[in-house]
Amino acid sequence: MPRPLVTLFALTLGACATQLGLRDASEKRLTMFSQIVFAPDYDSRRTDYLAKWTGPLRIALLGDEAEDQRTPVQSQAKSLAKLTGLDITLASESKPANVTIYFTTAEKMDALAGAAINSRSALKSALLSKGCASYFDKDAGNRITSARVFVHTGEKVTTVSSCISRQMTHILGMPNTSDLIQPSIFNAGVQLLQMTTLDLKFVRALYTPALLPGMARRDALLIADELLQN
């Protein structure tokens, strides 16, 4: 084969390989996005409609280390507000809380949080095994309206810091974890203190205006696929 043709053939194969590699990477990102927002088909947490906030988040801090954690929470709130376009601040008298973060040991959480706990046994298990947990509520249109975060302060400082970053991101509408996602705060097997580039991409994708609360999973993933191409 003449040398120019060999060169052209090699370049064509290289370009195809590059395109296939990029597509493979974007498909992996879409699978990860689907897992953390909807959960896989076999998972009992699987949902079929997208949920997200459309209004402001007002955060109240309660418990043993509430004041000590004010600065880390404010820092995370500022970062998430920039990513999502949402108004996320600490609650005040004029701005009642719709998000509460409880800081105490697993043993004292029942006394502190009371009616905010869905299942006491499940929560205690999560706190002792993972250090934290969170839940959010949504209306009939799948708009998230309130949330609760529980952080076990009997853990190491790094665990508490990791929990703040992870759970405040979970309550945005990305409640699930997966060991397949790495490096990421959505990987339950690691304790990262801040979001990775991959995590930032997922949050931005969820809060693009084209993705609406109540959107069916299939339709939402078609849009997310385009957003996660690069």
Side-chain angles (χ1 to χ4, degrees), residues 4 10 13 18 33 52 55 62 82 91 94 123 125 134 162 169 223:
L13 287 178
T18 299
F33 180 83
K52 61 191 282 188
L62 298 177
K82 185 176 181 180
S94 61
L123 176 61
S125 176
S134 61
S162 175
T169 309
I223 296 173

Side-chain angles (χ1 to χ4, degrees), residues 13 17 35 41 53 83 132 134 153 167 180 182 194 199 202-203 208:
L13 287 178
Q35 286 183 329
D41 293 341
W53 291 83
L83 279 173
C132 47
S134 61
T153 56
Q167 300 304 332
L180 298 177
Q182 55 180 327
Q194 58 186 3
D199 298 329
F202 291 149
V203 176
T208 187

Side-chain angles (χ1 to χ4, degrees), residues 2-230:
R3 191 171 188 82
L5 289 179
V6 171
T7 302
L8 178 61
F9 185 60
L11 288 173
T12 301
L13 287 178
C16 289
T18 299
Q19 290 301 316
L20 287 172
L22 289 173
R23 183 58 196 164
D24 183 55
S26 67
E27 286 180 354
K28 287 180 180 177
R29 288 194 291 268
L30 184 65
T31 298
M32 294 174 185
F33 180 83
S34 180
Q35 286 183 329
I36 59 179
V37 174
F38 298 104
D41 293 341
Y42 56 81
D43 197 313
S44 62
R45 297 170 296 178
R46 164 71 182 272
T47 58
D48 291 316
Y49 298 95
L50 185 140
K52 61 191 282 188
W53 291 83
T54 58
L57 284 73
R58 301 293 181 238
I59 306 167
L61 310 179
L62 298 177
D64 303 338
E65 294 187 18
E67 284 306 310
D68 293 339
Q69 300 304 329
R70 179 176 291 270
T71 298
V73 169
Q74 285 179 314
S75 177
Q76 181 69 358
K78 184 177 180 180
S79 297
L80 293 176
K82 185 176 181 180
L83 279 173
T84 61
L86 295 170
D87 181 8
I88 308 176
T89 61
L90 294 183
S92 64
E93 288 187 9
S94 61
K95 298 177 179 179
N98 53 11
V99 175
T100 304
I101 305 179
Y102 300 91
F103 295 97
T104 191
T105 62
E107 294 73 24
K108 295 179 180 179
M109 193 62 76
D110 188 21
L112 175 65
I117 301 174
N118 292 354
S119 169
R120 286 164 172 76
S121 59
L123 176 61
K124 186 172 183 179
S125 176
L127 293 179
L128 292 176
S129 61
K130 301 175 183 178
C132 47
S134 61
Y135 308 94
F136 58 74
D137 305 305
K138 51 191 179 181
D139 63 17
N142 282 277
R143 292 176 290 266
I144 301 177
T145 56
S146 62
R148 302 166 307 288
V149 175
F150 306 91
V151 180
H152 176 32
T153 56
E155 297 294 324
K156 296 179 293 185
V157 172
T158 54
T159 301
V160 173
S161 298
S162 175
C163 277
I164 291 172
S165 294
R166 186 164 71 251
Q167 300 304 332
M168 286 183 66
T169 309
H170 278 322
I171 63 171
L172 292 177
M174 314 176 85
N176 307 310
T177 58
S178 172
D179 291 339
L180 298 177
I181 307 174
Q182 55 180 327
S184 171
I185 60 169
F186 297 108
N187 187 318
V190 296
Q191 290 184 355
L192 299 182
L193 301 183
Q194 58 186 3
M195 290 180 286
T196 66
T197 299
L198 187 61
D199 298 329
L200 299 177
K201 187 181 293 290
F202 291 149
V203 176
R204 287 194 190 100
L206 177 60
Y207 276 87
T208 187
L211 286 177
L212 302 172
M215 184 173 282
R217 175 179 177 271
R218 184 173 182 275
D219 296 333
L221 291 180
L222 285 174
I223 296 173
D225 188 25
E226 293 295 323
L227 298 171
L228 296 170
Q229 288 292 325
N230 299 313

